[in-house]
């Protein structure tokens, strides 16, 4: 396949992966279970499928070093808390608002990463942070945690903080492993973390709910991670980052089409501020990381 064909294939895989990631949010409304129970069953199914994908691709499940198991444990704990708060945010508010609150994480990453790398924080990053803060403020219907939407926004921001921490720790300590290997361990650990807290009786779950859980675990969790990993082979990190910022848009559109969720004007404006800032910061981040041309 030519380089152009590979890029086209990678872009198709990436958009499909991001669309499926956006569609994940719908299950917070479609599955009649708590956020914790949805996350637990999702992780059980995804861990099994990811283990099969690792074996089919002839990778090894065992980690290279003993200390990597401790890192995998930490990442799994963070992921389990991130997914529970991710679903809870949308159950409390709406798919669109929950996803917009969660998507403050690209700017959080830009603001926090200098503490990990020792790099300098730029004025534009502080301006981006203020723009995201303004966008989130526009989402808030009233400054009271007694309002479910406001509480959902707060929980969504907590989810973003956890996701930011997971990404920075993964980048620093766990990049030796493929996406399937890394997600297998994180979903498996999440099962162990969440299992003692569940309130499930398998006999009370309807066949329709089991079908939705299988769809969530296989098509909307394992599959997009595999597609995302495959797309990384053909596309630049900048392209991947920019397309990933479409996730809230895809999620909001799917919720509008399938769940009949409407968007208030303030939500649309606030969401546009958050997503536009995420796009800007992703673009600037990759420009700064690109190797400079030799002008001599």
């Amino acid at each position: 396949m030519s380089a152009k064909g590979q890029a086209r294939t990678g872009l198709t895989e990436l958009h499909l992966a991001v669309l499926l990631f956006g569609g994940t949010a719908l299950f917070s409304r479609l599955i009649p279970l708590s956020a914790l129970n949805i996350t637990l069953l999702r992780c059980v199914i995804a861990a099994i499928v990811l283990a099969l994908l690792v074996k089919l691709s002839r990778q090894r499940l065992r980690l290279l070093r003993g200390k990597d198991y401790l890192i995998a444990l930490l990442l799994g704990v963070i992921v389990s808390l991130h997914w529970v708060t991710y679903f809870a945010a949308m159950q409390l508010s709406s798919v669109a608002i929950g996803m917009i609150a969660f998507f403050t994480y690209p700017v959080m990453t830009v603001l926090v990463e200098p503490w990990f790398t020792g790099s300098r924080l730029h004025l534009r990053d502080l301006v981006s942070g203020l723009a995201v803060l303004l966008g989130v403020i526009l989402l808030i219907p009233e400054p009271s945690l007694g309002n479910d939407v406001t509480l959902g926004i707060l929980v969504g921001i907590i989810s973003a903080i956890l996701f930011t921490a997971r990404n920075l720790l993964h980048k620093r300590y766990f990049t030796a492993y493929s996406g399937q290997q890394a997600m297998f361990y994180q979903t498996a650990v999440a099962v162990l973390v969440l299992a003692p807290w569940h309130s499930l009786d398998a006999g009370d779950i309807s066949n329709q709910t089991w079908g939705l859980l299988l769809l969530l675990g296989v098509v909307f969790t394992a599959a997009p991670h595999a597609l995302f990993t495959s797309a990384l082979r053909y596309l630049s990190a900048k392209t991947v980052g920019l397309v990933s910022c479409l996730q809230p848009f895809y999620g909001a559109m799917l919720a509008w089409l399938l769940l009949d969720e409407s968007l208030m004007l303030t939500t649309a404006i606030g969401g546009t501020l958050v997503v536009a800032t995420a796009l800007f910061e992703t673009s600037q981040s990759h420009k700064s990381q690109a190797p400079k041309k030799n002008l001599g």
Side-chain angles (χ1 to χ4, degrees):
M1 188 187 296
S2 66
K4 187 178 289 186
Q6 289 178 336
R8 192 179 299 115
T9 298
L11 200 56
T12 301
E13 290 176 335
L14 178 60
H15 272 284
L16 182 54
V18 173
L19 177 63
L20 292 173
F21 282 137
T24 300
L26 302 181
F27 292 89
S28 64
R29 297 284 180 176
L30 294 172
I31 297 176
L33 297 174
S34 70
L36 190 149
N37 290 338
I38 292 173
T39 303
L40 172 61
L41 293 173
R42 174 197 195 187
C43 289
V44 169
I45 295 165
I48 294 169
V49 174
L50 287 163
L52 291 173
L53 286 174
V54 171
K55 286 298 184 182
L56 288 172
S57 59
R58 297 183 178 179
Q59 301 175 66
R60 48 185 280 172
L61 273 176
R62 285 188 303 163
L63 300 180
L64 299 173
R65 297 173 294 272
K67 68 176 184 179
D68 289 348
Y69 288 98
L70 292 176
I71 297 168
L73 179 63
L74 175 61
L75 292 174
V77 170
I78 294 173
V79 161
S80 64
L81 296 174
H82 152 61
W83 272 341
V84 170
T85 50
Y86 176 76
F87 283 117
M90 285 171 285
Q91 289 180 337
L92 287 164
S93 54
S94 69
V95 168
I97 289 176
M99 289 199 73
I100 292 165
F102 163 66
F103 234 77
T104 55
Y105 86 82
V107 177
M108 286 185 190
T109 303
V110 169
L111 295 174
V112 174
E113 194 167 25
W115 293 92
F116 281 74
T117 61
S119 57
R120 188 165 58 90
L121 189 66
H122 298 282
L123 177 62
R124 68 166 184 264
D125 301 328
L126 295 175
V127 173
S128 293
L130 290 173
V132 165
L133 180 61
L134 177 60
V136 170
I137 289 171
L138 287 171
L139 300 179
I140 298 172
E142 59 177 284
S144 168
L145 292 181
N147 184 292
D148 281 351
V149 174
T150 304
L151 187 58
I153 292 167
L154 177 61
V155 173
I157 291 171
I158 292 171
S159 182
I161 292 170
L162 291 165
F163 192 64
T164 300
R166 194 292 299 260
N167 289 348
L168 291 174
L169 290 168
H170 185 280
K171 183 177 179 180
R172 184 160 185 173
Y173 299 111
F174 217 63
T175 51
Y177 303 100
S178 70
Q180 292 99 321
Q181 286 173 299
M183 286 311 300
F184 162 72
Y185 274 96
Q186 289 171 44
T187 51
V189 170
V191 172
L192 297 177
V193 171
L194 298 175
W197 308 99
H198 78 85
S199 56
L200 284 169
D201 185 340
D204 292 337
I205 301 176
S206 68
N207 290 335
Q208 181 182 358
T209 299
W210 277 118
L212 289 170
L213 286 165
L214 283 169
L215 192 64
L216 172 61
V218 177
V219 178
F220 287 85
T221 303
H225 279 291
L227 286 166
F228 196 83
T229 304
S230 177
L232 286 171
R233 294 182 298 168
Y234 306 124
L235 301 173
S236 68
K238 177 181 177 180
T239 300
V240 171
L242 291 174
V243 173
S244 295
C245 287
L246 291 172
Q247 188 176 324
F249 170 76
Y250 283 147
M253 289 301 99
L254 287 170
W256 175 61
L257 289 169
L258 301 177
L259 302 180
D260 200 27
E261 279 195 4
S262 59
L263 275 177
M264 294 174 59
L265 180 60
T266 51
T267 301
I269 295 171
T272 300
L273 263 175
V274 172
V275 176
T277 306
L279 280 165
F280 171 76
E281 279 295 353
T282 302
S283 174
Q284 292 300 311
S285 172
H286 291 299
K287 277 183 184 177
S288 67
Q289 292 172 14
K292 293 182 171 64
K293 293 181 180 179
N294 186 1
L295 302 177

mmCIF file of all heavy atoms in Angstrom, residues 5-6 22 89 114 144 150 155 177 204 208 225 228 241 248 265 270 287-288:
data_model
loop_
_atom_site.group_PDB
_atom_site.id
_atom_site.type_symbol
_atom_site.label_atom_id
_atom_site.label_comp_id
_atom_site.label_asym_id
_atom_site.label_seq_id
_atom_site.Cartn_x
_atom_site.Cartn_y
_atom_site.Cartn_z
ATOM 1 N N GLY A 5 -2.141 5.873 0.596
ATOM 2 C CA GLY A 5 -3.175 4.900 0.951
ATOM 3 C C GLY A 5 -3.134 4.549 2.426
ATOM 4 O O GLY A 5 -4.183 4.398 3.065
ATOM 5 N N GLN A 6 -1.919 4.428 2.963
ATOM 6 C CA GLN A 6 -1.776 4.140 4.390
ATOM 7 C C GLN A 6 -2.335 5.283 5.239
ATOM 8 O O GLN A 6 -3.020 5.058 6.240
ATOM 9 C CB GLN A 6 -0.305 3.910 4.739
ATOM 10 C CG GLN A 6 0.254 2.606 4.207
ATOM 11 C CD GLN A 6 1.721 2.440 4.545
ATOM 12 O OE1 GLN A 6 2.437 3.415 4.766
ATOM 13 N NE2 GLN A 6 2.183 1.208 4.565
ATOM 14 N N GLY A 22 -16.713 8.558 21.328
ATOM 15 C CA GLY A 22 -17.789 9.496 21.602
ATOM 16 C C GLY A 22 -19.094 8.783 21.904
ATOM 17 O O GLY A 22 -19.863 9.204 22.775
ATOM 18 N N ALA A 89 -20.896 11.595 35.566
ATOM 19 C CA ALA A 89 -21.063 12.987 35.132
ATOM 20 C C ALA A 89 -22.202 13.108 34.133
ATOM 21 O O ALA A 89 -23.011 14.048 34.190
ATOM 22 C CB ALA A 89 -19.761 13.496 34.511
ATOM 23 N N PRO A 114 4.376 20.597 32.447
ATOM 24 C CA PRO A 114 5.671 21.195 32.795
ATOM 25 C C PRO A 114 6.219 20.741 34.147
ATOM 26 O O PRO A 114 7.434 20.691 34.339
ATOM 27 C CB PRO A 114 5.366 22.709 32.803
ATOM 28 C CG PRO A 114 4.257 22.859 31.821
ATOM 29 C CD PRO A 114 3.419 21.618 32.000
ATOM 30 N N SER A 144 -24.596 25.861 42.684
ATOM 31 C CA SER A 144 -25.013 25.060 43.843
ATOM 32 C C SER A 144 -24.849 23.586 43.517
ATOM 33 O O SER A 144 -25.283 23.124 42.449
ATOM 34 C CB SER A 144 -26.470 25.357 44.196
ATOM 35 O OG SER A 144 -26.959 24.403 45.117
ATOM 36 N N THR A 150 -24.889 20.970 37.780
ATOM 37 C CA THR A 150 -23.656 21.536 38.353
ATOM 38 C C THR A 150 -22.789 20.432 38.959
ATOM 39 O O THR A 150 -21.560 20.408 38.773
ATOM 40 C CB THR A 150 -24.003 22.577 39.444
ATOM 41 O OG1 THR A 150 -24.847 23.576 38.879
ATOM 42 C CG2 THR A 150 -22.738 23.236 39.985
ATOM 43 N N VAL A 155 -18.151 16.539 38.675
ATOM 44 C CA VAL A 155 -17.707 15.143 38.558
ATOM 45 C C VAL A 155 -16.979 14.934 37.234
ATOM 46 O O VAL A 155 -15.979 14.204 37.162
ATOM 47 C CB VAL A 155 -18.916 14.187 38.689
ATOM 48 C CG1 VAL A 155 -18.494 12.752 38.404
ATOM 49 C CG2 VAL A 155 -19.513 14.277 40.089
ATOM 50 N N TYR A 177 4.753 -0.647 26.108
ATOM 51 C CA TYR A 177 3.727 -1.648 25.788
ATOM 52 C C TYR A 177 2.713 -1.097 24.787
ATOM 53 O O TYR A 177 2.450 0.109 24.741
ATOM 54 C CB TYR A 177 3.018 -2.089 27.077
ATOM 55 C CG TYR A 177 3.980 -2.631 28.101
ATOM 56 C CD1 TYR A 177 4.408 -1.841 29.169
ATOM 57 C CD2 TYR A 177 4.510 -3.917 27.982
ATOM 58 C CE1 TYR A 177 5.321 -2.324 30.093
ATOM 59 C CE2 TYR A 177 5.421 -4.400 28.906
ATOM 60 C CZ TYR A 177 5.823 -3.598 29.958
ATOM 61 O OH TYR A 177 6.733 -4.077 30.866
ATOM 62 N N ASP A 204 -30.768 -10.441 37.766
ATOM 63 C CA ASP A 204 -31.700 -9.311 37.633
ATOM 64 C C ASP A 204 -31.435 -8.476 36.387
ATOM 65 O O ASP A 204 -32.199 -7.552 36.088
ATOM 66 C CB ASP A 204 -31.600 -8.407 38.869
ATOM 67 C CG ASP A 204 -32.126 -9.097 40.120
ATOM 68 O OD1 ASP A 204 -32.942 -10.037 39.979
ATOM 69 O OD2 ASP A 204 -31.705 -8.715 41.228
ATOM 70 N N GLN A 208 -31.592 -7.564 27.267
ATOM 71 C CA GLN A 208 -31.311 -6.326 26.532
ATOM 72 C C GLN A 208 -30.130 -5.582 27.150
ATOM 73 O O GLN A 208 -29.254 -5.074 26.442
ATOM 74 C CB GLN A 208 -32.551 -5.428 26.520
ATOM 75 C CG GLN A 208 -32.339 -4.129 25.751
ATOM 76 C CD GLN A 208 -33.549 -3.216 25.788
ATOM 77 O OE1 GLN A 208 -34.577 -3.559 26.368
ATOM 78 N NE2 GLN A 208 -33.448 -2.052 25.179
ATOM 79 N N HIS A 225 -9.959 1.068 20.840
ATOM 80 C CA HIS A 225 -8.556 1.076 21.284
ATOM 81 C C HIS A 225 -7.666 0.386 20.252
ATOM 82 O O HIS A 225 -6.552 0.839 19.975
ATOM 83 C CB HIS A 225 -8.428 0.405 22.654
ATOM 84 C CG HIS A 225 -8.797 1.299 23.788
ATOM 85 N ND1 HIS A 225 -8.036 2.381 24.160
ATOM 86 C CD2 HIS A 225 -9.857 1.295 24.635
ATOM 87 C CE1 HIS A 225 -8.604 2.997 25.183
ATOM 88 N NE2 HIS A 225 -9.715 2.355 25.484
ATOM 89 N N PHE A 228 -7.467 2.765 17.252
ATOM 90 C CA PHE A 228 -6.652 3.922 17.611
ATOM 91 C C PHE A 228 -5.162 3.568 17.530
ATOM 92 O O PHE A 228 -4.352 4.323 16.988
ATOM 93 C CB PHE A 228 -7.019 4.369 19.020
ATOM 94 C CG PHE A 228 -6.558 5.755 19.377
ATOM 95 C CD1 PHE A 228 -7.288 6.868 19.008
ATOM 96 C CD2 PHE A 228 -5.383 5.949 20.089
ATOM 97 C CE1 PHE A 228 -6.878 8.146 19.337
ATOM 98 C CE2 PHE A 228 -4.959 7.217 20.424
ATOM 99 C CZ PHE A 228 -5.708 8.319 20.050
ATOM 100 N N GLY A 241 -4.036 13.891 17.648
ATOM 101 C CA GLY A 241 -4.496 14.775 18.707
ATOM 102 C C GLY A 241 -5.642 15.672 18.265
ATOM 103 O O GLY A 241 -6.626 15.853 18.983
ATOM 104 N N PRO A 248 -16.088 15.173 21.773
ATOM 105 C CA PRO A 248 -17.309 15.763 22.347
ATOM 106 C C PRO A 248 -18.352 16.090 21.283
ATOM 107 O O PRO A 248 -19.555 15.974 21.535
ATOM 108 C CB PRO A 248 -16.801 17.045 23.034
ATOM 109 C CG PRO A 248 -15.352 16.822 23.237
ATOM 110 C CD PRO A 248 -14.902 15.978 22.092
ATOM 111 N N LEU A 265 -28.242 27.225 24.275
ATOM 112 C CA LEU A 265 -27.288 28.135 23.642
ATOM 113 C C LEU A 265 -26.032 28.301 24.489
ATOM 114 O O LEU A 265 -24.912 28.269 23.972
ATOM 115 C CB LEU A 265 -27.945 29.496 23.405
ATOM 116 C CG LEU A 265 -27.052 30.566 22.748
ATOM 117 C CD1 LEU A 265 -26.576 30.091 21.381
ATOM 118 C CD2 LEU A 265 -27.802 31.891 22.636
ATOM 119 N N GLY A 270 -20.350 27.491 25.566
ATOM 120 C CA GLY A 270 -19.339 26.976 26.498
ATOM 121 C C GLY A 270 -18.599 25.798 25.924
ATOM 122 O O GLY A 270 -17.358 25.701 26.037
ATOM 123 N N LYS A 287 3.264 21.548 17.488
ATOM 124 C CA LYS A 287 4.178 22.447 16.769
ATOM 125 C C LYS A 287 5.463 22.646 17.562
ATOM 126 O O LYS A 287 6.560 22.642 17.016
ATOM 127 C CB LYS A 287 3.496 23.814 16.570
ATOM 128 C CG LYS A 287 2.560 23.871 15.374
ATOM 129 C CD LYS A 287 2.000 25.292 15.246
ATOM 130 C CE LYS A 287 0.992 25.346 14.102
ATOM 131 N NZ LYS A 287 0.375 26.700 13.985
ATOM 132 N N SER A 288 5.331 22.825 18.878
ATOM 133 C CA SER A 288 6.490 23.043 19.725
ATOM 134 C C SER A 288 7.377 21.821 19.839
ATOM 135 O O SER A 288 8.574 21.918 20.078
ATOM 136 C CB SER A 288 6.063 23.501 21.121
ATOM 137 O OG SER A 288 5.382 22.456 21.793
#
